[in-house]
Amino acid sequence: MNWLSSPIPPLTRLVVATVLLCLQVIAFVTVAVGVAVAQNTESVSECDPDNVVYRGQLGRSFIQDGVSVSEVTRPVFIQCDTELIALTGFQESEFRFKFVGEVRIVELGDTLYADTVVYFTDTQVGEASGNVLITDGRVVLTAPDAIFYRDEKRTVFNNGVQFEDSTTVLTSRFGTYWSKEARAEFDSRVELRQDSLYVSADTLTYLRDLEETRARGHVYVERTDGELVTIFANTLFHSGLTDSSHFAGNVDMLQVSSDSTGIDSLFVKSQHLYLTQSDTTVNVVATDSVEVIQGNFSVISDTLTYIRSKDGASVLTRSYGSPVAWLDLTQITSEDLRLTRVNGLLDSLRADGNVFVAEYDSLLSRVQQLKGRTLVGLFENDSLRTMMVSPNAEALYYMEAPDEGEQKATRLSSDRIVFSFKNGELIKIGSYVDLDGEYYPANIVDQAKNLSGYRWEPERRPDNSKFREAWLRRVEQRNRHMQL
């Protein structure tokens, strides 16, 4: 019997036609994509980007802008270590694929979600748009659109982006994220928020694994560690692991703390400022052209250290490198100067090395003077109670003579001179060991010469009102800059 000439039953004919149609679909998808259907078993290091898997249910074919486009539903796309699924896929050219609807891309530990993705197999670049979300389980990045570079493990955001992990929320107008390095480079209107830290800047680099932040340009920082600290600078480096910060370039710091005495402000200007914390203290180190104002105390110096207990009970301010300090109307110069506050009130003052104290007496139009190697001052209720200078103490003190309009002066030298005050007024001068003195009555008072090392420089004193004005200008400039 010649089976070739025998009629084929209808059912058999239908089965054969169905099988042939399926084979044609598989062949069409495979040929249209120009890739191998074989399972990709290569490791990432041996990745062949030309080896692409693209499969799904073949849909319609049509011409768009003169190009033949094939549609696939429920597509699965694989290139090296990247796998993509979506509701619909379109091959728009040999290397261009478009995926629409619930697009998900999985690459190693990273997953990208979007409404639409256009992917180029030759360059391994994808353009995601619509509700873009990227996550590795620890970090979530969201944006309206993004461009991802598969081979570089890099994603670029050109229309706004938000980065969020367990400790940090970071936003900007533009940004780039390297998933392998866990590094974010954000630019324009950058804002970083952590538990007690806020940073805004022109550009910012965040290294997630190292918890490091590097900010540049119009840097503004707020810290809330029991008190509000705000800082302007040109650059910032912050380590989350050590909870330390380094500010550089035109640094202005304002600290406002609430304690039992009310609101107390600390102003600091410098070129460098280091902010660190321990379990018990907050520490500030300022260097290079330092200016400080706190209440009735101000100082200029090369270096300043400020140590405050976290409960706010004690504060030590230390200036060295030829500091010049002012306490009320008194100017103090030395090589090293320390001021201690307890519960918000002045407690003690110590100056070491070539100490010179000067105070202008407006009633006499004279400068009262005191010098020695070391000065120790003790306070009570924020008012100076005693001041001792030793050794090699010298003093030049002017006073009103009995005759109205006349003056007299006394010059003392001793191993130690002690001044006693009440309500801010000098009530007693005591000297101990090797006392020597000269008296200048009214007729020769002008013969009293200034003490050696005389310094009186009121024009150098930091001005509180000018500092506040400059601070407000920087606040206004920042606000305008963030709105650009």
Side-chain angles (χ1 to χ4, degrees), residues 459-476:
E459 70 281 357
R460 298 184 65 192
R461 182 171 190 169
D463 188 304
N464 196 316
S465 61
K466 290 183 179 178
F467 192 102
R468 290 179 182 273
E469 290 173 3
W471 180 268
L472 291 175
R473 282 197 300 271
R474 294 195 78 166
V475 171
E476 293 172 358

Side-chain angles (χ1 to χ4, degrees), residues 409-449:
T410 300
R411 182 176 185 138
L412 297 175
S413 62
S414 175
D415 185 64
R416 181 173 56 181
I417 300 177
V418 179
F419 298 82
S420 299
F421 299 85
K422 185 176 182 179
N423 298 325
E425 297 291 333
L426 178 63
I427 59 173
K428 181 181 177 181
I429 300 177
S431 58
Y432 306 86
V433 186
D434 299 329
L435 174 64
D436 190 16
E438 295 180 65
Y439 173 70
Y440 298 86
N443 61 327
I444 61 170
V445 69
D446 289 334
Q447 295 181 20
K449 295 182 179 179

Side-chain angles (χ1 to χ4, degrees), residues 194-199 221-231 238-240 242-245 247 253-259 273-284 306-315:
Q194 294 177 343
D195 183 37
S196 59
L197 177 69
Y198 168 84
V199 179
V221 173
E222 291 182 3
R223 292 199 59 140
T224 52
D225 302 302
E227 60 185 15
L228 176 61
V229 177
T230 53
I231 302 172
H238 175 75
S239 169
T242 60
D243 198 11
S244 60
S245 303
F247 300 86
M253 185 188 94
L254 170 61
Q255 174 185 282
V256 179
S257 59
S258 298
D259 52 32
L273 188 141
Y274 303 84
L275 183 62
T276 61
Q277 294 196 63
S278 68
D279 292 338
T280 58
T281 62
V282 176
N283 312 298
V284 177
Y306 174 88
I307 303 173
R308 179 184 63 83
S309 62
K310 285 195 170 179
D311 61 7
S314 64
V315 176

Side-chain angles (χ1 to χ4, degrees), residues 10 46 81 200 222 288 329 396 475 479:
E46 300 172 341
D81 53 7
S200 67
E222 291 182 3
D288 192 358
L329 301 177
L396 177 59
V475 171
N479 292 340

Side-chain angles (χ1 to χ4, degrees), residues 82-85 102-107 109-117 126-136 141 145-149 154-157:
T82 300
E83 180 175 342
L84 181 152
I85 62 173
E102 299 180 13
V103 183
R104 185 179 71 185
I105 301 175
V106 178
E107 180 181 351
D110 297 323
T111 303
L112 181 149
Y113 300 89
D115 294 340
T116 303
V117 169
E127 299 173 354
S129 60
N131 301 304
V132 176
L133 185 150
I134 303 172
T135 182
D136 64 359
L141 293 106
D145 52 60
I147 302 173
F148 60 93
Y149 299 79
R154 173 170 65 98
T155 306
V156 176
F157 306 91

Side-chain angles (χ1 to χ4, degrees), residues 364-431:
L364 302 176
S365 300
R366 299 281 188 176
V367 177
Q368 311 287 12
Q369 303 167 42
L370 176 66
K371 63 173 293 188
R373 189 181 304 171
T374 298
L375 178 149
V376 176
L378 300 177
F379 296 81
E380 188 175 90
N381 296 325
D382 233 20
S383 181
L384 185 61
R385 185 182 66 194
T386 62
M387 184 168 61
M388 181 182 71
V389 179
S390 66
N392 307 321
E394 295 183 49
L396 177 59
Y397 187 73
Y398 294 92
M399 63 199 79
E400 201 170 19
D403 295 331
E404 185 176 350
E406 294 188 344
Q407 301 172 8
K408 58 183 180 178
T410 300
R411 182 176 185 138
L412 297 175
S413 62
S414 175
D415 185 64
R416 181 173 56 181
I417 300 177
V418 179
F419 298 82
S420 299
F421 299 85
K422 185 176 182 179
N423 298 325
E425 297 291 333
L426 178 63
I427 59 173
K428 181 181 177 181
I429 300 177
S431 58

